[in-house]
Amino acid sequence: MKKVALHNLGCKVNAYETEAMQEMLETAGYEIVPFKEGADIYIINTCTVTNIADRKSRQMLHRARKMNPQALVVAAGCYVQTQEVPDPCIDVVIGNNKKQDLLSILEEYDKDTLIDINNTKEYENLHLSRTGEHTRAYIKVQDGCNQFCSYCIIPYARGRVRSRVKEDVIEEVKRLAQNGYQEVVLTGIHLSSYGIDFEEGEENLLSLIQTVHDVEGIRRIRLGSLEPRIITEEFARTISALPKMCPHFHLSLQSGCDAVLKRMNRRYTSGEYYEKCALLRKYFENPALTTDVIVGFPGETNEEFEESKAFIEKVEFYEAHVFKYSKRQGTKAAVMEEQIPEQIKSKRSDILLALNEEGRQAYEKSFVGKEVEVLVEESVEIGGETMQIGHTREYMKVAVKTKENLQNHIVKVQIENDLQIIH
């Protein structure tokens, strides 16, 4: 029985794939061990979304080789998919859409497995019956991206949009529900594009959500990152009528300045984005709206940054995840003129992070005195007291003061003060 250690880097899609590979290995009789010395095989599911992600991928690969020079080091995923020359510390390369073949690759590991990811139409056949979390399950329903934002390498690493057939998704959701999971999170590389590769009118994200909603045992449905354009009157109205739908929406913004959005090739304006937020607030009571923002995109002037900042203040997000622009070789933005100095990026990042903290506190305080529904995930000790920690439907992290073990129970509690919310 060979010992296998796995390590995941990157997004929730990567995490899903890593857990699916682990389950595949366990079923085949491999022993899963911690990512420490002593493993026979090290599998690193890599990420390439930023230069930092590239560096972390290389570091983990070299750490694996150092921990056991005789072990088999397997590099999977986005970083190796985009590298022309593999790192010499790697024994086996498994590109995207080939992780489903992991077992056969390990049996004859004398060659790397990379396909032309930009020309495949096959959805990779990976499945889960359980996840690392005990209450919430992330389900990959889509892969690839057709957007080609000027700063992003992911379409080259993941290929074009490929959607998982609805019947396969529902089968997995039912299996997870039978194993006790009460909340599912539908996720993908470009989730909003789910179904566009099917026959016209066959399926889309809305119809998938409605079908998942019918699965017995599932009590919450949450969505991964969405493009603003998917939020139509019909979409917002329909999902608001589904009791299991969580009022928590991550709408990717990247910039609140129209000129920057155009250079990014984001295909919407700040005005259109604001309309989508208004639609969600029309159909959901006080929904949690979160987003991503890039500072220091090539050519971003002080005036453009101030315009973006003002827009973020106007929207009043629950949380805004702030990223400093990272040049990615192979993208259009990497060769744009007027690259912004790192110190300016850092200053702008600090300003938006402070703004984000204000928005987060304001949103959480709006729930003081109100009753919320919490899916309890674990028991912890805080200040000598036993607390049960979980998330509300809005994905606020809350501490419930009780010694009773409520793991995987949904309970109603009243927020007495902001100290009950754990950050």
Side-chain angles (χ1 to χ4, degrees), residues 130-180:
R130 62 189 185 281
T131 76
E133 295 194 42
H134 301 294
T135 58
R136 179 180 302 103
Y138 289 84
I139 300 175
K140 178 186 170 185
V141 303
Q142 178 275 335
D143 207 340
C145 181
N146 298 350
Q147 300 303 299
F148 289 94
C149 298
S150 61
Y151 53 82
C152 187
I153 198 69
I154 296 305
Y156 304 98
R158 285 281 179 173
R160 303 296 74 74
V161 168
R162 305 178 302 285
S163 303
R164 187 176 182 181
V165 295
K166 182 176 72 175
E167 291 75 18
D168 195 32
V169 175
I170 299 306
E171 182 182 339
E172 181 161 299
V173 173
K174 288 180 178 178
R175 186 164 57 247
L176 288 162
Q178 290 167 359
N179 287 335

Side-chain angles (χ1 to χ4, degrees), residues 7 9 35 42-47 54-68 73-76 79-80 83 86-93:
H7 185 81
L9 293 159
F35 199 85
Y42 293 91
I43 300 174
I44 297 93
N45 199 13
T46 62
C47 178
D54 280 356
R55 186 170 70 247
K56 287 182 177 179
S57 295
R58 290 191 295 270
Q59 287 173 343
M60 293 310 299
L61 290 164
H62 284 265
R63 182 184 299 178
R65 172 58 66 212
K66 185 177 181 180
M67 286 192 293
N68 186 356
V73 176
V74 180
Y79 170 68
V80 290
Q83 297 301 303
D87 193 302
C89 80
I90 301 170
D91 294 312
V92 178
V93 170

Side-chain angles (χ1 to χ4, degrees), residues 205-206 209-210 213 223 226 231 233-246 249 280 283-284:
L205 182 59
L206 182 56
I209 294 168
Q210 290 172 304
H213 190 273
L223 302 176
L226 297 174
I231 309 298
E233 188 93 28
E234 178 193 9
F235 186 90
R237 181 179 62 248
T238 303
I239 62 173
S240 71
L242 302 176
K244 298 178 183 179
M245 193 72 221
C246 290
F249 302 98
L280 290 171
Y283 286 101
F284 290 87

Side-chain angles (χ1 to χ4, degrees), residues 26 52 63 74 122 132 161 180 200 211-212 214 241 249 277 294 315:
E26 289 174 324
I52 294 174
R63 182 184 299 178
V74 180
E122 175 194 7
V161 168
E200 186 175 354
T211 308
V212 172
D214 292 336
F249 302 98
C277 295
I294 295 174
V315 176

Side-chain angles (χ1 to χ4, degrees), residues 210-268:
Q210 290 172 304
T211 308
V212 172
H213 190 273
D214 292 336
V215 176
E216 186 177 349
I218 296 301
R219 297 179 63 184
R220 285 182 176 184
I221 300 172
R222 205 178 293 278
L223 302 176
S225 180
L226 297 174
E227 282 292 309
R229 289 173 296 171
I230 200 172
I231 309 298
T232 63
E233 188 93 28
E234 178 193 9
F235 186 90
R237 181 179 62 248
T238 303
I239 62 173
S240 71
L242 302 176
K244 298 178 183 179
M245 193 72 221
C246 290
H248 168 218
F249 302 98
H250 188 88
L251 296 185
S252 186
L253 173 63
Q254 307 307 355
S255 177
C257 171
D258 288 345
V260 176
L261 286 173
K262 187 175 182 179
R263 295 201 298 275
M264 289 178 168
N265 194 32
R266 288 298 289 170
R267 307 184 192 187
Y268 55 80

